[in-house]
Structures are given as structure tokens and as C-alpha cells.
């Protein structure tokens, strides 16, 4: 008998291998807490690699006497690491019973030695969680194999996504799927100026924006980053995430509530990207923030839902030519009462540029349908240079572009959807063509996809921003001949029933020949 051919083993990526190794360590620790443990080890490895490279450079330049001078590290954006904070020291002690305490000490010492990392690293996670020493040593061995800056950043990002998937609904708010962040960056094009995120999570908006700039041969040093994050542990994730990539950012003095403790009160941003918590309830007390300057010219957002609080916070931060791309639950498109009054004023003030419905199941935290809003402080005709390219914008003050992406996207991780590169390009091409002079030749309304509505049309429809109220949808049933359709179905069903009857006869005949006749 011929030997069965063994199935070839599926190759897995380094990120997947690391994830499997790390997941064994988790045990009873919740992913929400566990991610800080694992990701801080990646940071420790990264910081050590950079430190050792800089240390070697100092020696090669004949400046050995400055080898422990902190200034010779920080001048090149390298963190100085005392002996007990270096990865080599951790690996020498990886099999010791007190390795958890040594890791805690290493992280504490790095933060204390480098003011830029103040508040960035976990406090006493390893000792407090009583992690199995053997499993921790195994994970350290795996991380020890990573040896380049590019890979450590890639692994950190991969793990953020996996942790968000693991935490699922109701959690994982620290992470916005990369394809959505890329879409926002590609639409608003943050090449040069101040970039702000009022609820920055783990800093993904910033990371992808810088990648966007670099992918288009831009200069990331021309982008100044400002952000704020409410949750302390997520604030630490963001600071580590940015530090790993050498991205400078002002995330405020501490983790803080954007509404009640705005860390960037006087900031004016050229670009704003955000994914605020959806439908946040009781975000302020009845008598709180009622005369906040961020609401000037608008109604005070209701206490029942923070959606319009986030919108007005964003509007208040926009510079003269500022553009914002942010995500909200679909309900914000048609809310009544105070929200309607605010929405009407936003439209009348010519701030709303584009409203885009995204496919369902794109987020790991919720399966509700979500909208991308694009606000633009200057929709007038103007000429602007972006990354060395001259762009001639037409006057769009009397228009709003509506788009519906619900037919786009590809399956991801079985139950999720993601936008492909081609999907995003199709969308951004339409948006940018619509913005510019000559749009009569490059843009057209497409049924079930996009429609450019006048401000008058929006007013006639009661200032709703639901795209399906404007985009034409084709009724594919209206031209069907009912009698013809039913006769075709009748014929198909007849053929199926005949085939079924023949199959039944064949089956009964087989059992009869075997001596096990079935009598019905």
C-alpha cells in the first residue's frame, strides 16, 4: 500500500510564532492587562538595541570617556539605559526566580533616567501578576531573536491588533484597525503641519500618518504630533508605540479626560484624526462645561451622548485651513433635538465636506455600522502645495459629498471586514477628484456609491446626513416580469423534484440488492 503523503506544514510568520509563545504565558491574566506586560518587553528589547548601537558608535568615534554621558545618547533620540535596564542583563538572568522583579526594576530605571518616558512604562506588572518563571523565560528567548528596529515596530503593531481581537466587544478601544486609519490618512493627507488626536488610544493614527508621509517621500519632521488619552494604561501603550518608532509627540503631561482636562487648550491643528468612544453616556454633569469655549457659536452638547461634544472639540481645534477625519456611530447623522441644531449649524458654517458609511464588522469592539466624517475649515477655491505638488481646489462651500462603502471590503479573521488597498484608492480618488478644479471631467455621481449634494438639498431633507437619503439606490425588482419569473422558478423546481424522486428510487434499489429492503 502506498504511503500517505504527509501534509506540508504551514509556515507561520515571526509575528505569529511570537504570538503563540506569548499566549502560552497568559494563563489566567486578562488580555486587557496582559498586553501591557508583553508589549513592554518589546519596548525594553528595542530600547536596548538602540542603546547598544549608540554605545558602539561612541566607542568607534574615539569618545569612550563619554560612554556613560546621557547627553551623548539623547542628542540622537536614544534612551540611556543603566546596566540593570539593559536587555543583555535581563537575558543573563532570564532563568532566575526573581526575573519578574528584575524586569520591573529595569522598566522603572529606564523611566527614571529618561524624562521623555515619564509615565510611559508599566508599574510592577511582572511582580504583581506572579507570572510563571519558565514561561516568561521562554518568551524572553523568543523576543531575543528580534534584531532590527523595523521588525520590532512591526511586531508591536501586530500584537496590538491581536490583543484587540482577543478582547473583543466592549474592550479593545485602544486600537483602530489599520485599514481605517490608512483610509483617513490617505484622504486628508497630513504631509506638513500640526496633527492632533483628542482620544489617541495606542497612537495608531500617528504611526500610520507618519508611514503615509514616508511612503510618499515626505519629511516626517514637518509633522508635529499632539494627542491626549484618558486611560492611563493606554496612554503608556501610546508612548511606547511612538518611542519604538522614534516618533516625537506631545501627549500631554498625563493621561486625562479631553473634555474636563484638555491638555492642549490653545492648540490649532492642520490635521485631526480621531476614533472617539461611540455614543459615550453621561460624559459631563448637567451643570458641567455649560460655558466651555469649545461650544462657542453652537448649542451645548447634551449630557446623554458625547458624539457632538467630540465634534465641537475637533472643530474648535481646526486651524484656518484645517481638515479633520474622524469616526462616529451612524446615529450621529440623524439625531434630533440639540444634536440636530448643532448639525445644522455645522452645515450652514460650511464645515461638513464628506460623509462616508463604512462596511459593517470592521471594528473588533463593535459590529455596528460606522461613519467617517470629513470636516474642512476652508472649502473655498484656493491653490495649495502639498508635498511638492500644486493642488487647485475649487469652491465646495455649497456642497457635501456622500459616499457608501458598504459593498466594499474583504473578509478578515473569519468574522471581520477590511478595506483593501484597491478599495481605499477607489475612494480617495473620488474624494480628491471631487475637491479639485476640473471635477466635471473626473467626478460623477454613481448610484449606490457616491453623490454630491447641494446645501439646499441637505436643508430640504431636514439637515440629515444619512448618505442613503441622497445617493441613488437602484430598485432591481421594479422591471421584473412576475409571470415570467414565476414560470422559470416553476420549471427549475419541477426539475429538482424529479431528480430528488429518482435519487430516492436509486437508494431504495441499492438497499434491496444488499438484502436490506426498505419498505415505505
Amino acid at each position: 500500500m502506498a504511503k500517505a503523503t504527509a501534509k506540508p506544514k504551514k509556515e507561520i510568520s515571526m509575528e505569529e510564532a511570537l504570538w503563540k509563545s506569548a499566549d502560552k504565558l497568559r494563563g489566567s491574566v486578562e488580555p486587557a492587562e496582559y498586553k501591557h506586560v508583553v508589549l513592554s518587553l518589546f519596548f525594553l528589547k528595542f530600547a536596548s538595541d538602540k542603546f547598544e548601537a549608540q554605545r558602539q558608535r561612541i566607542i568607534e568615534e574615539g569618545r569612550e570617556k563619554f560612554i556613560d554621558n546621557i547627553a551623548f545618547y539623547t542628542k540622537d533620540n536614544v534612551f540611556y539605559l543603566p546596566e540593570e535596564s539593559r536587555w543583555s542583563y535581563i537575558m543573563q538572568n532570564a532563568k532566575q526566580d526573581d526575573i519578574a522583579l528584575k524586569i520591573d526594576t529595569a522598566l522603572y530605571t529606564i523611566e527614571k533616567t529618561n524624562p521623555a518616558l515619564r509615565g510611559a512604562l508599566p508599574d510592577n506588572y511582572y511582580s504583581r501578576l506572579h507570572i510563571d518563571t519558565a514561561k516568561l523565560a521562554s518568551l524572553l528567548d523568543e523576543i531575543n531573536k528580534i534584531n532590527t528596529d523595523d521588525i520590532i515596530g512591526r511586531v508591536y503593531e501586530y500584537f496590538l491588533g491581536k490583543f484587540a481581537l482577543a478582547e473583543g466587544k466592549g474592550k479593545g478601544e485602544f486600537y483602530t484597525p489599520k485599514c481605517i486609519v490608512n483610509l483617513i490618512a490617505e484622504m486628508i493627507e497630513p504631509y506638513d503641519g500640526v496633527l492632533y488626536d483628542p482620544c489617541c488610544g495606542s497612537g495608531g493614527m500617528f504611526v500610520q500618518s507618519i508611514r503615509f508621509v514616508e511612503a510618499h517621500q515626505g519629511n516626517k519632521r514637518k509633522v508635529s504630533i499632539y494627542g491626549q488619552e484618558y486611560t492611563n494604561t493606554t496612554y503608556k501603550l501610546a508612548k511606547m508605540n511612538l518611542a519604538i518608532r522614534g516618533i516625537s509627540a506631545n501627549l500631554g503631561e498625563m493621561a486625562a479626560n479631553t473634555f474636563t482636562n484638555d491638555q492642549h487648550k490653545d492648540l490649532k491643528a492642520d490635521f485631526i484624526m480621531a476614533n472617539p468612544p461611540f455614543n459615550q453616556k453621561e460624559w459631563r454633569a448637567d451643570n458641567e462645561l455649560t460655558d466651555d469655549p469649545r461650544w462657542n457659536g453652537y448649542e451645548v452638547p447634551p449630557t446623554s451622548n458625547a458624539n457632538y461634544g467630540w465634534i465641537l472639540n475637533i472643530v474648535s481645534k481646526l486651524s484656518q485651513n484645517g481638515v479633520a477625519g474622524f469616526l462616529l456611530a451612524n446615529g450621529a447623522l440623524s439625531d434630533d433635538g440639540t444634536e440636530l441644531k448643532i448639525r445644522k449649524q455645522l452645515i450652514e458654517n460650511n464645515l461638513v465636506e464628506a460623509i462616508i458609511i463604512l462596511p459593517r464588522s470592521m471594528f473588533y469592539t463593535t459590529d455596528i455600522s460606522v461613519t467617517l466624517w470629513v470636516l474642512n475649515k476652508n472649502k473655498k477655491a484656493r491653490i495649495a502645495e502639498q508635498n511638492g505638488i500644486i493642488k487647485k481646489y475649487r469652491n465646495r462651500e455649497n456642497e457635501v459629498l456622500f459616499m457608501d462603502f458598504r459593498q466594499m471590503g474583504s473578509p478578515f479573521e473569519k468574522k471581520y471586514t477590511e478595506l483593501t488597498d484597491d478599495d481605499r484608492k477607489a475612494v480617495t480618488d473620488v474624494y480628491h477628484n471631487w475637491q479639485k478644479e476640473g471635477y466635471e471631467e473626473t467626478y460623477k455621481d454613481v448610484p449606490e456609491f457616491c453623490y454630491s449634494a447641494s446645501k439646499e438639498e441637505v436643508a430640504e431633507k431636514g439637515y440629515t446626513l444619512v448618505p442613503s437619503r441622497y445617493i441613488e439606490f437602484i430598485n432591481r425588482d421594479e422591471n421584473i416580469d412576475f409571470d415570467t419569473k414565476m414560470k422559470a422558478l416553476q420549471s427549475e423546481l419541477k426539475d429538482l423534484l424529479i431528480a430528488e424522486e429518482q435519487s430516492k428510487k436509486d437508494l431504495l434499489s441499492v438497499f434491496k440488492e444488499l438484502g436490506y429492503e426498505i419498505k415505505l
Side-chain angles (χ1 to χ4, degrees):
M1 184 182 285
K3 268 190 176 180
T5 307
K7 262 191 170 180
K9 256 191 172 180
K10 184 190 173 188
E11 286 190 22
I12 63 171
S13 67
M14 179 193 63
E15 293 99 308
E16 289 177 284
L18 270 169
W19 174 258
K20 287 184 176 180
S21 176
D23 205 40
K24 291 174 187 174
L25 174 64
R26 177 160 55 90
S28 59
V29 181
E30 287 295 320
E33 205 168 21
Y34 171 63
K35 64 175 172 284
H36 303 288
V37 175
V38 177
L39 293 174
S40 58
L41 288 179
F42 290 150
F43 175 78
L44 186 56
K45 176 67 166 66
F46 158 81
S48 292
D49 284 353
K50 295 278 280 187
F51 168 81
E52 296 295 351
Q54 183 75 352
R55 186 179 176 87
Q56 187 59 36
R57 199 174 297 121
I58 293 169
I59 294 171
E60 289 170 359
E61 291 172 356
R63 299 181 176 184
E64 275 190 73
K65 64 179 180 179
F66 300 111
I67 203 164
D68 288 313
N69 187 319
I70 295 177
F72 275 74
Y73 294 85
T74 55
K75 73 181 180 67
D76 292 321
N77 293 319
V78 175
F79 302 118
Y80 180 80
L81 274 59
E83 175 69 28
E84 67 271 25
S85 295
R86 297 171 195 171
W87 187 258
S88 55
Y89 177 81
I90 295 298
M91 291 309 298
Q92 287 166 14
N93 292 276
K95 305 293 192 291
Q96 301 298 316
D97 290 340
D98 65 345
I99 183 59
L101 178 60
K102 282 183 167 62
I103 293 171
D104 279 332
T105 302
L107 293 170
Y108 170 79
T109 308
I110 292 175
E111 191 172 308
K112 188 178 178 184
T113 309
N114 298 275
L117 289 174
R118 185 165 69 86
L121 304 177
D123 304 318
N124 298 320
Y125 262 91
Y126 297 87
S127 306
R128 179 168 60 81
L129 294 175
H130 306 295
I131 299 170
D132 181 270
T133 303
K135 289 181 178 178
L136 181 55
S138 174
L139 177 59
L140 289 169
D141 284 338
E142 290 296 329
I143 294 174
N144 195 44
K145 297 171 185 175
I146 308 173
N147 56 18
T148 73
D149 297 346
D150 179 58
I151 289 176
I152 197 79
R154 201 177 80 203
V155 169
Y156 193 95
E157 183 177 288
Y158 177 85
F159 269 57
L160 280 173
K162 294 293 281 187
F163 281 125
L165 276 167
E167 292 180 34
K169 288 185 186 178
K171 298 180 182 178
E173 289 91 346
F174 60 88
Y175 184 81
T176 304
K178 189 168 68 172
C179 68
I180 297 177
V181 182
N182 286 340
L183 174 65
I184 299 174
E186 288 157 8
M187 290 190 77
I188 72 172
E189 300 179 308
Y191 286 116
D192 184 354
V194 174
L195 172 63
Y196 170 64
D197 184 345
C199 41
C200 69
S202 55
M205 296 284 187
F206 303 137
V207 171
Q208 297 306 326
S209 293
I210 294 300
R211 277 193 183 160
F212 169 81
V213 171
E214 291 176 333
H216 292 80
Q217 290 73 52
N219 184 354
K220 70 177 183 180
R221 295 184 184 278
K222 290 185 176 181
V223 182
S224 301
I225 292 174
Y226 292 80
Q228 185 159 343
E229 172 53 39
Y230 175 67
T231 307
N232 189 50
T233 49
T234 306
Y235 175 81
K236 293 174 186 287
L237 279 183
K239 295 198 82 168
M240 281 194 289
N241 195 13
L242 297 174
I244 276 176
R245 293 168 170 81
I247 298 173
S248 298
N250 181 343
L251 302 186
E253 288 296 310
M254 65 190 85
N257 184 315
T258 301
F259 293 122
T260 58
N261 187 6
D262 187 355
Q263 302 278 290
H264 306 292
K265 283 186 178 177
D266 300 319
L267 181 72
K268 290 297 177 183
D270 303 296
F271 305 98
I272 299 178
M273 301 170 68
N275 177 20
F278 298 152
N279 302 320
Q280 194 177 353
K281 310 297 182 190
E282 298 176 359
W283 58 284
R284 66 175 182 88
D286 287 338
N287 60 351
E288 191 177 27
L289 301 174
T290 53
D291 58 353
D292 193 287
R294 287 172 288 187
W295 326 142
N296 284 350
Y298 298 89
E299 297 282 326
V300 178
T303 59
S304 58
N305 194 315
N307 286 343
Y308 277 80
W310 286 112
I311 293 174
L312 292 184
N313 176 76
I314 288 168
V315 169
S316 74
K317 303 288 188 189
L318 285 173
S319 65
Q320 185 179 354
N321 295 315
V323 185
F326 56 91
L327 302 160
L328 287 176
N330 286 357
L333 300 171
S334 58
D335 284 333
D336 291 326
T338 303
E339 285 102 331
L340 171 57
K341 292 177 182 176
I342 297 173
R343 188 168 63 250
K344 176 182 177 181
Q345 197 60 53
L346 290 168
I347 295 164
E348 292 296 340
N349 289 349
N350 298 317
L351 286 167
V352 181
E353 174 142 86
I355 297 292
I356 298 140
I357 294 283
L358 299 178
R360 291 185 73 99
S361 304
M362 293 199 73
F363 289 84
Y364 308 151
T365 55
T366 178
D367 59 1
I368 65 171
S369 191
V370 174
T371 309
L372 168 58
W373 292 55
V374 180
L375 302 185
N376 196 327
K377 196 73 178 287
N378 185 1
K379 291 165 68 178
K380 293 178 180 176
R382 66 188 180 98
I383 297 174
E385 181 186 338
Q386 283 190 339
N387 200 32
I389 298 171
I390 300 297
K391 295 197 173 182
K392 296 180 179 180
Y393 292 101
R394 67 184 183 87
N395 190 319
R396 297 140 3 249
E397 287 193 306
N398 194 43
E399 297 171 64
V400 177
L401 178 64
F402 292 95
M403 302 185 78
D404 190 321
F405 298 178
R406 286 177 296 178
Q407 301 306 313
M408 290 186 165
S410 299
F412 171 68
E413 292 281 350
K414 295 182 181 176
K415 60 179 180 176
Y416 299 106
T417 302
E418 67 175 357
L419 294 172
T420 65
D421 292 348
D422 289 341
D423 290 335
R424 298 198 312 274
K425 186 177 186 309
V427 167
T428 52
D429 283 351
V430 167
Y431 171 63
H432 291 146
N433 288 338
W434 174 84
Q435 286 184 306
K436 292 182 289 191
E437 287 182 5
Y439 83 108
E440 299 90 347
E441 302 298 323
T442 58
Y443 169 83
K444 65 177 182 178
D445 295 333
V446 178
E448 302 186 347
F449 180 52
C450 62
Y451 182 80
S452 181
S454 69
K455 199 159 65 175
E456 289 72 23
E457 286 179 87
V458 177
E460 285 171 11
K461 294 185 186 293
Y463 294 94
T464 178
L465 290 176
V466 176
S468 60
R469 295 290 304 277
Y470 304 93
I471 297 172
E472 179 188 353
F473 282 83
I474 300 166
N475 185 348
R476 292 179 172 79
D477 295 329
E478 64 183 9
N479 296 319
I480 293 174
D481 184 304
F482 182 78
D483 187 55
T484 303
K485 186 70 176 174
M486 287 305 294
K487 282 179 178 175
L489 287 172
Q490 181 186 39
S491 176
E492 287 174 19
L493 187 57
K494 179 183 176 183
D495 291 343
L496 283 171
L497 290 173
I498 289 171
E500 182 186 23
E501 186 63 32
Q502 185 58 48
S503 294
K504 188 169 85 172
K505 286 178 182 176
D506 291 345
L507 187 62
L508 291 173
S509 176
V510 167
F511 269 81
K512 185 176 181 180
E513 288 173 11
L514 291 171
Y516 296 95
E517 183 179 1
I518 299 173
K519 293 184 178 179
L520 300 177

